[in-house]
Structures are given as C-alpha cells and as structure tokens.
C-alpha cells in the first residue's frame, strides 16, 4: 500500500468522483464542486478528509460531520438541488444525531484495493474519538455485503434497518463510551 497522508481538505481539490442521481454529468460535478467549495453544508471542504499519495495525487476522500448538525447542514444542499434540478425531494434523515456521521467514502479507481478506504475510515474513527463523540455511525446498503464486512472488521456494530431514498440500509456504529 502506498504511503498516505490524511488531511483536512481545502478549496484547491475538486471533487469529481461523486454521482448525483446515478448519472455522472457536468452538472453533477458542478453541484458537488460548488458544495465542496462553500462552507456550512454536508459536502463542504470543512467536513472532508482526503487521502493523497506522496506526490499529492488524490487517492480518496471521506465526508463526515456532527450528526446533531445534519438538518442545518442539509438545508443548503436541498436549496441547491431545488434551484439546479427543480427537485423538491426531502429524503429521510441519514442520522439521528448524537454521533460523528460518515456520509460518504470515495476511493479513486486507480487506488481501489490498496487500503485507502480502510485508512480513511480509521482516520474518521480516531477523529471522532479525539473530538469526544460518543459514537461514530454510517449507513450501509443491505445489498453491499462487502462494505458491511469491512465496517464490521473495523469494529462497527450492526444497528437498525433504515429506509433511505427508496432503499434499505443498516445503520452501523461504534460506541466509544
């Protein structure tokens, strides 16, 4: 595995690997780039850790935040979705709060299978502990047993089943108390 450096992310990095509505387009890249560059929203650089190799190439990213702030952080995203896509969708909350919530993990195609996602997750766990969160949580798709196994190897416990945007997910968590 290449040596990775984890750091908080700043505006110089552009997100281009995320997908909105299952179809990657210039508009979806623009949506996430704009959200990433702004502050006070779910996908802001304020909430993103980035793994880079020694040459500075982005290997992957993890977005996570205080679950107690989910509703406030989601509002600018909902407004942008309404404005850019004329979509009034208000999905179910992903977190009930009282945890550091991992919203998304993305690993570049070139870095897959090299442990980048695992290192990002370990970093998030350490961050949550250092920031005195009582737990860290995430959602895993019922149809993604490999991700579920990875999370279990890292110490996550299987929680309740939750509906989210037409699918079913398990809430998984690690309690630090």
């Amino acid at each position: 595995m290449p040596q990775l450096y984890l750091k908080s992310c700043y505006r110089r990095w552009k997100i281009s690997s995320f997908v909105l509505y299952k179809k990657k387009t210039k508009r979806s890249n623009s949506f996430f780039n704009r959200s990433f560059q702004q502050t006070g929203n779910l996908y802001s650089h304020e909430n993103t850790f980035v793994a880079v190799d020694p040459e500075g190439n982005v290997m992957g990213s993890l977005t996570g935040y205080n679950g107690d702030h989910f509703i406030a952080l989601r509002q600018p995203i909902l407004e942008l979705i309404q404005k850019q896509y004329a979509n009034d969708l208000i999905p179910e909350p992903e977190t009930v709060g009282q945890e550091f919530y991992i919203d998304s993990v993305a690993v570049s195609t070139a870095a897959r299978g090299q442990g980048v996602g695992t290192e990002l997750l370990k970093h998030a766990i350490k961050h949550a502990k250092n920031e005195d969160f009582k737990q860290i949580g995430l959602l895993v798709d019922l149809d993604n047993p490999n991700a579920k196994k990875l999370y279990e190897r890292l110490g996550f416990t299987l929680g309740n089943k939750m509906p989210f945007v037409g699918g079913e997910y398990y809430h998984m968590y690690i309690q630090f108390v």
Side-chain angles (χ1 to χ4, degrees), residues 8-25:
S8 293
C9 198
Y10 296 97
R11 295 175 197 238
R12 62 184 177 79
W13 183 62
K14 293 183 178 180
I15 294 177
S16 60
S17 61
F18 291 94
V19 179
L20 184 65
Y21 302 125
K22 299 182 182 177
K23 184 176 179 185
K24 188 174 179 178
T25 66

Side-chain angles (χ1 to χ4, degrees), residues 128-168:
K129 284 180 183 177
N130 290 343
E131 295 295 318
D132 294 324
F133 282 92
K134 292 183 178 163
Q135 77 177 33
I136 185 169
L138 52 79
L139 293 184
V140 62
D141 193 326
L142 270 59
D143 296 328
N144 194 346
N146 291 335
K148 182 177 166 279
K149 286 178 192 171
L150 169 63
Y151 302 142
E152 287 173 334
R153 276 197 319 267
L154 292 171
F156 284 84
T157 300
L158 192 62
N160 295 329
K161 233 186 248 190
M162 295 178 61
F164 182 66
V165 192
E168 286 216 291

Side-chain angles (χ1 to χ4, degrees), residues 2-174:
Q3 184 177 4
L4 300 177
Y5 301 93
L6 294 166
K7 59 185 177 180
S8 293
C9 198
Y10 296 97
R11 295 175 197 238
R12 62 184 177 79
W13 183 62
K14 293 183 178 180
I15 294 177
S16 60
S17 61
F18 291 94
V19 179
L20 184 65
Y21 302 125
K22 299 182 182 177
K23 184 176 179 185
K24 188 174 179 178
T25 66
K26 287 182 181 179
R27 283 180 64 192
S28 66
N29 286 340
S30 171
F31 171 87
F32 282 105
N33 284 334
R34 180 186 298 167
S35 300
F36 179 78
Q37 292 173 12
Q38 295 175 347
T39 60
N41 71 72
L42 296 173
Y43 306 115
S44 170
H45 62 276
E46 299 168 310
N47 301 319
T48 303
F49 297 111
V50 177
V52 295
D53 67 14
E55 290 78 40
N57 299 309
V58 174
M59 307 286 281
S61 67
L62 180 145
T63 300
Y65 41 80
N66 184 334
D68 291 335
H69 301 156
F70 174 75
I71 298 297
L73 291 170
R74 181 178 70 170
Q75 190 56 40
I77 297 299
L78 294 176
E79 290 169 6
L80 187 56
I81 289 172
Q82 166 50 346
K83 182 179 178 182
Q84 192 163 336
Y85 298 97
N87 186 328
D88 291 325
L89 173 72
I90 300 178
E92 305 87 351
E94 299 173 55
T95 176
V96 293
Q98 300 182 342
E99 66 183 0
F100 181 79
Y101 179 71
I102 298 173
D103 186 288
S104 58
V105 180
V107 177
S108 76
T109 305
R112 292 200 179 131
Q114 298 179 36
V116 174
T118 298
E119 291 304 313
L120 285 163
L121 289 161
K122 287 179 180 177
H123 184 76
I125 293 165
K126 183 178 176 181
H127 170 79
K129 284 180 183 177
N130 290 343
E131 295 295 318
D132 294 324
F133 282 92
K134 292 183 178 163
Q135 77 177 33
I136 185 169
L138 52 79
L139 293 184
V140 62
D141 193 326
L142 270 59
D143 296 328
N144 194 346
N146 291 335
K148 182 177 166 279
K149 286 178 192 171
L150 169 63
Y151 302 142
E152 287 173 334
R153 276 197 319 267
L154 292 171
F156 284 84
T157 300
L158 192 62
N160 295 329
K161 233 186 248 190
M162 295 178 61
F164 182 66
V165 192
E168 286 216 291
Y169 296 79
Y170 286 114
H171 178 256
M172 296 186 75
Y173 60 92
I174 299 173

